[in-house]
Amino acid sequence: MEATSVPLHPPTYGNLITILSIDGGGIRGLIPGTILCFLESELQKLDGEDARIADYFDVIAGTSTGGLVTAMLTSPNEKNRPLFAAKDIKDFYLNNSPKIFPQNNFPLLGYATKIIRALSGPKYDGKYLHSLVKEKLGNTRLHQTLTNVVIPTFDIKQLQPTIFSSFKVKKNPSSDALLSDVCIATSAAPTYLPAHYFQTKDPFGKVREFNLIDGGIAANNPALVAISEVTKEVTRGSPHFFPVKQMDYTRFLVISIGTGTSKDDQKYNAHEAAKWGLLSWLTSNGSTPLVDAFSQSSADMVDLHISVVFQALHCEKNYLRIQEDTLSGDVSSVDIATEKNLEDLVKVGEGLLKKPVSRVNLETGIFERSGQETNEEALIRFAKQLSQEKRLRHAHARSPQGHAMNSK
């Protein structure tokens, strides 16, 4: 029997807790899409062509565009299998990004148009994105995903993060929102797309309202949020995570995929920023400095924290952060959805696979090469671990000893 023919049994039957995390970044979602296509193809080599990413991870977390990818990978189709294979993500972005982010056909008026839009409302109305997401995800709700998901948003009315989590929905039914609403909300980047309002009702008819914007305000890199959600389950004594001990990070296997960061030294500098007012912070050099600062600092701080913990516990091989930190020009944008730029982003993802694994320098905070292993080779190694873990859980779940262990 192939390992993909049964659902993933809980970690209590295995050795690891497996987490996949996908950053936010607009059209740069093509970069993790390309990486995930490679990972899924390696899993298929091991376990057959029906293998899907959702078959191997206890939790998939995503923010903004990463939240959309998370939903695509975990939403069930009519056969209760993932709605999208990883190889379908690229075409989804290539076909739909130009309609989500329609480009200005009059480049000479581009800067003036950006200023007017920055003053009068979001750059894009979001109508195409909203209709597309609702069409693809239909009436699927959070509790129906094929594996646990964690998708951050930010409630602008409450001024606090709202985390949509498969773990929370079991205890708080009012958070069981339509997955389409969650995706629209987590993607509502300030100045780019409008905030999203919706309501839910719990089984007793109590209404809860949400006033949400982009999850990148809270956690553009949601890996730490996913780890925290699992840790809370462990702390509460969930039988699915027995006999994992609290804060036992050595049991975590984490793949965190970024959408790229800009290292264009000419993009911003202190001399220019010292003169900026509100308008310049909202639009300068063809981008949005305030949003860029929030998203990049959030993602980097999460990587730094996880790296410190995993290195301190000598289990750094269990944590893989794949990130391109040399983007410049159009590919560093979140919304320049021209055919050329979209194809260039695919090439960035393909090139990133060939690059050496990098880790954050704990002293300088700089992303640096670590050893000779490439990202491609690391993903092949992780695919083998994921396949072995799934098979181990299946074997233990079927054995009397496995059932006895789970019942302790």
Side-chain angles (χ1 to χ4, degrees):
M1 177 181 292
E2 290 184 346
T4 58
S5 61
V6 293
L8 181 65
H9 290 286
T12 189
Y13 292 108
N15 292 328
L16 300 169
I17 298 169
T18 55
I19 295 176
L20 171 64
S21 174
I22 310 161
D23 285 15
I27 58 170
R28 299 202 309 262
L30 273 165
I31 297 174
T34 303
I35 303 297
L36 290 170
C37 180
F38 177 81
L39 175 60
E40 191 168 87
S41 70
E42 289 302 312
L43 292 168
Q44 290 170 343
K45 289 177 184 177
L46 296 167
D47 294 329
E49 63 181 13
D50 291 332
R52 295 290 182 268
I53 294 289
D55 297 331
Y56 297 87
F57 288 95
D58 296 305
V59 186
I60 301 180
T63 296
S64 194
T65 197
L68 180 57
V69 173
T70 296
M72 293 164 68
L73 295 174
T74 62
S75 294
N77 62 16
E78 65 279 357
K79 296 181 180 179
N80 208 38
R81 293 294 291 147
L83 192 62
F84 284 79
K87 65 181 177 60
D88 300 325
I89 295 173
K90 181 179 78 170
D91 286 341
F92 177 89
Y93 276 86
L94 292 177
N95 294 333
N96 294 297
S97 293
K99 299 172 186 176
I100 297 171
F101 303 113
Q103 301 301 289
N104 183 3
N105 295 321
F106 303 98
L108 293 178
L109 299 176
Y111 188 68
T113 301
K114 287 177 183 177
I115 291 177
I116 294 170
R117 285 177 174 169
L119 290 172
S120 62
K123 192 173 180 181
Y124 306 99
D125 62 23
K127 291 180 180 178
Y128 181 81
L129 173 63
H130 296 185
S131 63
L132 177 67
V133 170
K134 290 176 180 178
E135 175 195 342
K136 297 296 183 183
L137 301 181
N139 294 319
T140 301
R141 290 192 175 271
L142 187 62
H143 79 275
Q144 295 174 298
T145 55
L146 296 172
T147 191
N148 297 303
V149 300
V150 174
I151 302 177
T153 66
F154 189 85
D155 194 305
I156 195 67
K157 186 174 182 179
Q158 303 294 330
L159 287 181
Q160 65 180 24
T162 296
I163 309 299
F164 288 92
S165 161
S166 299
F167 302 112
K168 285 184 177 179
V169 79
K170 299 169 187 175
K171 303 174 182 63
N172 186 0
S174 67
S175 66
D176 191 21
L178 288 170
L179 207 53
S180 58
D181 279 326
V182 176
C183 286
I184 292 168
T186 194
S187 302
T191 77
Y192 287 97
L193 290 162
H196 188 51
Y197 174 87
F198 63 91
Q199 295 180 338
T200 60
K201 283 185 179 181
D202 68 15
F204 304 101
K206 184 178 179 181
V207 174
R208 180 179 176 183
E209 66 171 22
F210 297 88
N211 298 267
L212 304 177
I213 59 173
D214 190 351
I217 297 296
N220 202 53
N221 174 350
L224 191 56
V225 180
I227 291 173
S228 297
E229 287 294 292
V230 171
T231 302
K232 285 189 286 186
E233 289 296 297
V234 172
T235 302
R236 292 168 182 149
S238 168
H240 289 170
F241 294 93
F242 175 87
V244 180
K245 297 178 181 178
Q246 294 180 25
M247 303 304 293
D248 188 1
Y249 281 75
T250 60
R251 298 285 293 269
F252 285 91
L253 186 76
V254 180
I255 300 177
S256 174
I257 308 178
T259 56
T261 63
S262 173
K263 293 300 179 185
D264 187 346
D265 294 336
Q266 304 303 313
K267 195 168 188 179
Y268 312 123
N269 62 65
H271 296 295
E272 291 181 2
K275 305 171 187 176
W276 287 351
L278 177 61
L279 186 59
S280 295
W281 277 103
L282 292 178
T283 175
S284 181
N285 291 331
S287 189
T288 310
L290 198 59
V291 176
D292 287 351
F294 269 117
S295 61
Q296 291 194 22
S297 61
S298 168
D300 289 348
M301 286 301 292
V302 168
D303 182 34
L304 180 63
H305 176 86
I306 297 176
S307 294
V308 167
V309 172
F310 275 67
Q311 288 186 38
L313 296 174
H314 306 289
C315 58
E316 57 264 35
K317 283 286 187 180
N318 281 14
Y319 173 54
L320 177 63
R321 173 69 171 168
I322 300 181
Q323 176 72 307
E324 176 58 76
D325 66 344
T326 61
L327 298 182
S328 62
D330 287 356
V331 290
S332 67
S333 165
V334 299
D335 68 330
I336 299 180
T338 62
E339 182 178 351
K340 178 183 183 304
N341 196 42
L342 294 173
E343 291 291 351
D344 285 344
L345 284 167
V346 174
K347 293 176 184 177
V348 169
E350 293 170 346
L352 188 53
L353 286 168
K354 304 298 182 183
K355 287 189 173 184
V357 169
S358 295
R359 291 194 176 95
V360 64
N361 183 310
L362 302 185
E363 298 300 324
T364 66
I366 297 174
F367 211 50
E368 296 177 341
R369 175 174 176 165
S370 174
Q372 300 299 315
E373 187 180 42
T374 65
N375 289 316
E376 192 172 70
E377 291 167 341
L379 286 170
I380 292 172
R381 173 169 58 85
F382 270 70
K384 291 176 181 177
Q385 288 180 273
L386 290 166
S387 177
Q388 290 167 0
E389 175 70 11
K390 182 173 174 62
R391 291 174 183 274
L392 175 66
R393 293 186 194 183
H394 178 64
H396 282 178
R398 295 184 65 187
S399 70
Q401 292 85 357
H403 286 291
M405 178 186 71
N406 190 43
S407 64
K408 290 182 180 178

